[in-house]
Every structure is written in structure tokens, then in C-alpha cells.
């Protein structure tokens, strides 16, 4: 019974904390740029406002347009069940490993791109084509980085990787582990539409990727899409920090260790969010044609991760 | 330091050396090239210090200090002065474009693993994890040399290659005798100084650093 409650807790944490994480990054960026910035609860207010509005759907739209927000939201929520946010051996570890998590997240991306194409608006098509280009370039990197992590731990099972790392803390300093982290970090920037790949704060038509695909959406659909994007960002960050620095994740299920785990997760996410805010304040957006170069670098990092952890023991 | 941790740290440091060599292929400005080289040399110094701490060899500390002076301080400064003086700051059209360069670098890394596999499987030195990476640094340096057009970038390629060879020496044999090391230092320093003069001459004669234009005798 307890493990299932744990899964419910993970799900709820993802739903509730994801908007706060985005709000925190935005607030930090605003402060770093010398603005006051919106308060931490602003993303919640936005979601509540959007959920209360009516939805306007183009007469040209097919069922894909209506299904995409639901698929995106649901697949992201399912991924949250598989990632060790607060406890390491989860009951759903038997269902899917890191590969399933990544492809669940990519399933949402795929449907979003379809929805962008569906209404036939030029912006949607542009955004979808860009998103797919980036996803196609990011995918081999993700696969290699996963195998880099997996080769270090002897399994692609997330709970297993975390447990092995906790049992053998020296392995966090191994080259394979850190290179895979760096590769996944770059992929995260690309997949979550952060700078320098996509600017999350603009609707400027020449540069937008994510915003271009969701341009046709309104009301509750838009709320679902925004929420799913926030959850995806949250999950990617949680995955990154728990893979590279799993300390604090509860191995034994006691109330004490669980509350420590929640606190540790929030602290780790905050640290990573500060890093991202600093990075985004320093970096300008890359030209679209230089994005493949960035993803090439992350591919190389992932390749190094797998060679250094696998070819020479 | 535990031997396990030591070999992990050495592998990590060597892969960072390789990565800062690869950074040259990703960047476009010559200033960034010079900074990448300085960073690589610094990481190389870190590797030497790691090995010195593990083996307790005092001469290796001396070598580390000399490398620091030469390759982190002196040579980058000389190169920066040259770069500012000739006013060239971009490597615009390399023979191989950036994404292709990165893919080729990946292939070169795999190649160096294949080439070094007898050493790493039979050898028992704790630093063997870094040997293929040092070899890959040599290959990357060579690749920079042949794929970049600006005379300055080619100097950087040569220096990256030299760093790779020195790293290989440190990892495979825990450092060569000091006298040999001194000879190599002098060689590299003189090489850079001579090449610097060449850069000035090329610039004066051809009004560009693009070695592609050097095909014509008269301009």
C-alpha cells in the first residue's frame, strides 16, 4: 500500500511544484536582469485563468488538435511515476526504465508537432518542423547518454542507477557519469525550449519554436499544454539532479527519510534552477543553424561518456 | 588517494583535456581558440599534479610548474599579442564545417580507442583509462591542423597535438626524465616563436592569414 501512496505523492509533487519551478526561474532571471519580476505564484494564476476561459478551436482542426494536449499532459504525468523523485526503488520500476521515460516525453513532443501541423497555420508548420529537427538531433544523444549512465551502473533501470550510485559514491566523479550529465543537460535545454536553443519568454515569430506550435491553442487546452511543458522541465531537472547527485533520495520508506528526500529534492532543483537562470542571463539565443552544432557537442559528450565508462574498465 | 578514485580522476581530467581540444573545433573566434588552448594546458597541469600526488615524484611537480608557466601563461599571451597585432579574429570558412568536424572527432575518438586497446587491455597502470583519450587529443590536434585555414589556428592545432603527446607520456610512463621534458619545452617555445614570426610575415606579404591563399607565389 505504502509504495502506491509514494507514487501518488510523486505525481502530486510534479503537478504542484512544476509551476513554482518555472516561476522561480523567471523570478531569478528578472532579478538578474534588474527587473522586479512576477511573484512565484504567477504561473499558478496563469493556469487558473486559462482553465476558466472558453476554448476556441479552428473549424479546420481535426481530432489530433483536441487530443494533443491530453496526450502531452498524460504522457508527462506517467513519466513522473517512473522517475525517482523522492524514493529510489519505485513499484513502477518494473514497468519502465530510463528509455521508457525519455520516449514518453518524446511522445508528447511528437503529438505537439502533429498538432502544430494540424490547423495548417504557417507558424504551426514552422514550429513543428523546427521542433522535429531538434528532436531528431537530440534523440541519438539521449540514447547514448542513457547507455553511458547505464553502463556505469550495469542497468538502465532508474532505481537501480540511483541505488548503485548511492552505494558507490566515488562513481559520481567518473568521467562517464559527468559527461553523460553534461550531454543530458544540453539535451534538456533543447527539449524544454530553453535558451540558447529557444527563447521561452518571447512570441517573436522569427525565433520561436515551442510557442509557434501552441499558437492556435486557447483556454483549458493551452493551460494543459503550458502545465505539461512546466512538468516536463521539472521532470528533466529532477532526473538530472537525482542521477548525478542522488543523496537525499529515500531508500527506506520512513516518514523521516521521506521528508528529508522532499527537502533535498527542492534544494537540488533550486540549485539547478539558479544555474539555468545564470546561464540564460549570460547566453544569447543561438542562430537556428548553429543549434545542430550545439547538439553535435552534446552527442560527442555522450559518446565520450559511453567510451570512457564502457571501453576501459 | 585510493587507486580506484585516482584512476577515475585521471580519466576525468584526460577527457576534459580532450574536450577542451574539441572546443576549438566548435568555436569560431581565434580568441576563443587561444582560451581553449590555455584551458586545455591548465587541465593538463591538473593531470600532472594528480599523477605526482599519487606517485610522490617531486620532479613531476616541477614539470607541472614549468608547463603552467609555459603553456598557460607564456604561450597564450604571445598568441594573444599576435592575434591583436594582426587583427584577425575569425576562422570563417574552415575546410570542414563544424557539425562534420564534430562527427569526425567522434570517429577519431573511437579510432583511438581501437588503436589503444592492446595497451589498455594488457597494461596494468592505473592511468590506462586516460591513454586512449590522450591519443584522441593527438588526433584532434592533427585534425585542427589540416582542417583550419588560418595560420594562427594551425599553430593552436600544433599545440593541442603537442599537449596530447605530453599527456600520453605522463599517463603511460608517469612522466619522462626531466631533461627530456626540458628539451621538449624549449622546442615548443622556439617553435611557437618561429611560427609567430611566420604569421607576421604571411600577414605582411599576403595581407591575410588564410593559408589557402598561399598557393600563388605572386599575389
Amino acid at each position: 500500500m505504502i509504495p502506491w501512496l509514494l507514487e501518488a505523492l510523486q505525481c502530486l509533487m510534479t503537478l504542484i511544484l512544476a509551476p513554482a519551478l518555472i516561476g522561480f526561474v523567471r523570478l531569478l532571471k528578472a532579478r538578474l536582469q534588474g527587473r522586479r519580476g512576477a511573484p512565484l505564484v504567477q504561473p499558478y494564476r496563469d493556469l487558473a485563468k486559462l482553465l476558466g476561459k472558453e476554448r476556441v478551436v479552428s473549424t479546420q482542426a481535426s481530432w489530433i488538435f483536441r487530443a494533443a494536449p491530453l496526450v502531452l499532459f498524460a504522457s508527462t504525468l506517467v513519466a513522473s511515476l517512473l522517475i525517482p523523485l523522492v524514493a529510489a526503488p519505485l513499484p513502477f520500476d518494473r514497468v519502465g526504465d530510463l528509455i521508457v521515460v525519455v520516449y514518453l516525453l518524446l511522445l508528447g513532443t511528437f503529438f505537439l508537432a502533429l498538432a502544430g501541423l494540424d490547423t495548417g497555420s504557417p507558424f504551426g508548420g514552422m514550429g513543428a518542423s523546427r521542433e522535429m529537427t531538434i528532436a531528431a538531433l537530440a534523440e541519438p544523444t539521449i540514447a547514448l547518454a542513457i547507455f553511458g549512465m547505464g553502463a556505469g551502473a550495469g542497468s538502465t533501470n532508474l532505481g537501480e542507477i540511483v541505488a548503485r550510485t548511492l552505494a558507490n559514491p566515488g562513481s559520481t566523479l567518473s568521467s562517464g557519469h559527468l559527461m553523460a550529465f553534461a550531454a543530458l543537460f544540453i539535451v534538456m535545454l533543447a527539449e524544454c525550449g530553453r535558451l540558447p536553443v529557444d527563447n521561452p519568454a518571447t512570441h517573436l515569430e522569427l525565433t520561436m519554436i515551442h510557442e509557434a506550435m501552441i499558437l492556435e491553442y486557447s483556454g483549458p487546452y493551452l493551460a494543459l499544454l503550458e502545465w505539461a511543458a512546466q512538468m516536463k522541465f521539472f521532470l528533466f531537472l529532477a532526473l538530472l539532479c537525482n542521477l548525478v547527485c542522488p543523496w537525499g533520495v529515500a531508500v527506506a520508506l520512513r516518514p523521516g527519510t521521506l521528508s528529508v528526500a522532499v527537502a533535498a529534492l527542492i534544494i537540488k532543483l533550486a540549485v539547478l534552477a539558479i544555474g539555468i537562470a545564470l546561464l540564460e542571463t549570460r547566453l544569447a539565443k543561438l542562430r537556428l543553424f548553429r543549434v545542430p552544432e550545439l547538439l553535435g557537442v552534446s552527442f560527442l559528450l555522450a559518446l565520450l561518456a559511453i567510451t570512457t565508462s564502457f571501453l576501459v574498465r | 588517494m585510493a587507486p580506484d578514485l585516482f584512476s577515475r580522476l585521471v580519466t576525468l581530467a584526460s577527457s576534459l583535456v580532450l574536450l577542451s581540444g574539441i572546443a576549438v573545433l566548435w568555436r569560431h573566434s581565434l580568441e576563443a581558440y587561444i582560451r581553449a588552448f590555455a584551458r586545455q594546458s591548465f587541465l593538463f597541469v591538473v593531470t600532472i599534479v594528480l599523477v605526482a600526488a599519487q606517485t610522490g615524484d617531486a620532479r613531476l611537480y616541477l614539470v607541472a610548474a614549468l608547463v603552467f608557466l609555459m603553456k598557460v601563461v607564456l604561450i597564450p599571451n604571445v598568441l594573444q599579442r599576435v592575434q591583436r597585432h594582426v587583427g584577425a579574429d575569425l576562422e570563417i570558412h574552415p575546410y570542414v564545417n563544424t557539425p562534420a568536424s564534430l562527427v569526425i572527432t567522434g570517429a577519431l575518438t573511437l579510432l583511438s580507442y581501437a588503436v589503444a586497446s592492446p595497451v589498455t587491455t594488457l597494461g596494468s597502470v592505473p592511468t590506462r583509462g586516460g591513454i586512449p583519450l590522450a591519443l584522441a587529443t593527438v588526433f584532434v590536434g592533427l585534425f585542427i591542423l589540416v582542417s583550419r585555414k588560418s595560420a594562427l589556428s594551425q599553430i593552436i592545432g600544433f599545440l593541442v597535438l603537442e599537449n596530447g603527446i605530453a599527456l600520453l607520456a605522463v599517463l603511460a610512463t608517469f612522466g619522462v626524465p626531466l631533461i627530456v621534458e626540458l628539451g621538449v619545452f624549449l622546442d615548443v617555445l622556439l617553435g611557437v616563436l618561429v611560427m609567430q614570426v611566420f604569421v607576421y610575415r604571411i600577414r605582411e606579404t599576403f595581407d591575410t592569414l588564410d593559408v589557402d591563399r598561399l598557393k600563388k607565389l605572386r599575389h
Side-chain angles (χ1 to χ4, degrees), chain A residues 264-284:
Chain A
L265 179 72
I266 291 174
I267 292 171
K268 281 187 269 185
L269 284 176
V271 170
L272 210 50
I274 291 171
I276 288 175
L278 284 173
L279 194 75
E280 292 200 337
T281 312
R282 275 187 58 107
L283 287 179

Side-chain angles (χ1 to χ4, degrees), chain A:
Chain A
M1 187 61 204
I2 301 280
W4 304 104
L5 281 177
L6 193 68
E7 292 284 12
L9 170 74
Q10 293 224 83
C11 222
L12 267 179
M13 272 182 72
T14 312
L15 280 172
I16 293 168
L17 286 181
L21 182 66
I22 288 282
F24 183 58
V25 173
R26 283 186 195 153
L27 185 64
L28 274 178
K29 272 178 75 178
R31 287 289 157 85
L32 284 170
Q33 291 162 0
R35 293 181 284 123
R36 260 175 67 202
L40 211 55
V41 293
Q42 189 60 43
Y44 296 102
R45 288 185 194 147
D46 290 344
L47 287 180
K49 183 188 77 183
L50 286 173
L51 282 171
K53 294 215 165 193
E54 67 165 331
R55 59 198 131 191
V56 181
V57 179
S58 153
T59 49
Q60 308 294 316
S62 71
W63 63 271
I64 288 180
F65 187 81
R66 281 166 236 272
L70 300 173
V71 173
L72 184 63
F73 191 78
S75 63
T76 317
L77 208 54
V78 171
S80 79
L81 295 172
L82 299 171
I83 294 175
L85 294 179
V86 289
L90 292 168
F92 281 175
D93 269 356
R94 278 165 295 168
V95 180
D97 54 5
L98 190 48
I99 300 175
V100 176
V101 169
V102 166
Y103 284 94
L104 271 173
L105 294 177
L106 278 174
L107 177 75
T109 310
F110 173 70
F111 263 87
L112 192 58
L114 277 189
L117 289 170
D118 189 54
T119 50
S121 93
F123 284 126
M126 189 181 77
S129 103
R130 288 176 178 178
E131 179 81 10
M132 281 297 107
T133 311
I134 289 171
L137 289 169
E139 204 186 304
T141 309
I142 299 181
L144 273 186
I146 289 171
F147 291 127
M149 291 254 174
S155 161
T156 54
N157 197 314
L158 277 165
E160 191 77 11
I161 295 177
V162 168
R164 288 276 180 107
T165 316
L166 276 175
N168 187 7
S171 69
T172 42
L173 281 178
S174 71
S175 161
H177 202 79
L178 291 178
M179 298 286 153
F181 171 75
L184 278 178
F185 185 80
I186 295 179
V187 165
M188 181 277 293
L189 292 179
E191 282 285 317
C192 295
R194 309 299 302 181
L195 283 172
V197 176
D198 188 10
N199 190 346
T202 173
H203 288 280
L204 200 66
E205 61 222 32
L206 285 177
T207 61
M208 59 188 177
I209 301 175
H210 181 76
E211 295 294 334
M213 286 187 294
I214 63 173
L215 211 55
E216 294 274 322
Y217 280 102
S218 57
Y221 282 150
L222 185 58
L224 279 185
L225 289 173
E226 295 275 356
W227 206 347
Q230 291 164 358
M231 289 190 331
K232 187 175 170 187
F233 183 58
F234 175 86
L235 288 178
F236 254 111
L237 287 197
L239 187 63
L240 279 172
C241 50
N242 275 350
L243 281 180
V244 79
C245 165
W247 290 278
V249 173
V251 185
L253 295 178
R254 281 192 303 275
T257 51
L258 271 184
S259 45
V260 167
V262 173
L265 179 72
I266 291 174
I267 292 171
K268 281 187 269 185
L269 284 176
V271 170
L272 210 50
I274 291 171
I276 288 175
L278 284 173
L279 194 75
E280 292 200 337
T281 312
R282 275 187 58 107
L283 287 179
K285 193 182 157 316
L286 277 180
R287 278 167 59 222
L288 196 63
F289 300 109
R290 288 210 66 189
V291 170
E293 296 175 8
L294 181 70
L295 291 169
V297 170
S298 79
F299 178 74
L300 215 55
L301 281 168
L303 188 71
L304 270 182
I306 202 163
T307 52
T308 51
S309 64
F310 195 64
L311 290 181
V312 179
R313 289 276 181 166

